[in-house]
Amino acid sequence: MEIRIDDLTGKDIQALLQQHLKRMHEISPAESVHALDLSGLQSPDVTLWSAWIEGQLAGCGALKQISPNHGEIKSMRTSENFIRRGVAANLLAHILQESRRRQYSRLSLETGTETEFEPARKLYERFGFEICSPFADYVEDPNSAFYTRALQQFSPAL
């Protein structure tokens, strides 16, 4: 699997992100959808990575800087042909590593409470994320689950 920063100009990544937004609106009420659209993902405070397997787009995940020491995971999505093949886990591990490299002390995320989001919640919990109160500009919402994780500093190999 190759994970690389994506400039969001390719038709494959744009289609996956459109599918992501469409699915979020199918599952959750509009006021509870916090997924970023393409322009939001192109913001200077957001980096999006795409994962590729044998030349095919397998998924994506983004990191948004909330403050100099706090990041937020955004737009985690696995392409339908690659579900349950470790794509999300690899992307999440990559985002955690990059967050440490950026010297963030905390990484947080918002996801849905509906049953369709259960695999995502289990993945985040497996990676040490814990339920928390709303962070940044979020407010309490019965359709949102908030998670956070303290980060140990990254020590590059000498």
Side-chain angles (χ1 to χ4, degrees):
M1 180 179 310
E2 177 190 359
I3 297 175
R4 61 181 184 234
I5 291 177
D6 201 298
D7 66 8
L8 302 169
T9 59
K11 63 178 175 119
D12 290 343
I13 190 65
Q14 289 182 5
L16 181 61
L17 292 168
Q18 287 175 344
Q19 178 188 58
H20 178 63
L21 276 174
K22 182 178 184 257
R23 185 67 179 133
M24 296 303 99
H25 283 280
E26 290 172 353
I27 298 170
S28 301
E31 66 275 8
S32 298
V33 175
H34 303 289
L36 297 174
D37 62 11
L38 188 60
S39 66
L41 290 167
Q42 291 171 324
S43 174
D45 61 346
V46 177
T47 304
L48 183 128
W49 291 270
S50 53
W52 298 81
I53 297 175
E54 297 178 3
Q56 294 184 52
L57 179 61
C60 64
L63 177 59
K64 178 180 179 180
Q65 182 172 317
I66 297 173
S67 73
N69 64 352
H70 191 180
E72 178 184 4
I73 296 172
K74 300 294 291 180
S75 300
M76 288 285 291
R77 184 72 181 188
T78 301
S79 300
E80 289 183 21
N81 294 341
F82 293 94
I83 291 175
R84 305 217 197 308
R85 291 181 53 188
V87 174
N90 277 285
L91 280 163
L92 184 53
H94 184 85
I95 291 170
L96 279 162
Q97 181 180 12
E98 176 63 16
S99 297
R100 288 186 192 102
R101 191 195 66 75
R102 293 181 184 187
Q103 299 185 340
Y104 292 165
S105 60
R106 182 157 299 282
L107 187 58
S108 302
L109 65 100
E110 178 275 339
T111 191
T113 57
E114 295 88 349
T115 56
E116 291 88 345
F117 294 100
E118 187 174 342
R121 292 190 305 267
K122 285 183 177 183
L123 173 70
Y124 296 129
E125 290 167 2
R126 196 171 81 228
F127 273 77
F129 286 84
E130 298 176 340
I131 293 283
C132 67
S133 299
F135 58 91
D137 296 331
Y138 292 104
V139 296
E140 287 290 343
D141 179 344
N143 298 299
S144 289
F146 302 98
Y147 285 84
T148 195
R149 177 183 164 169
L151 300 177
Q152 296 175 346
Q153 291 308 305
F154 177 76
S155 298
L158 299 176

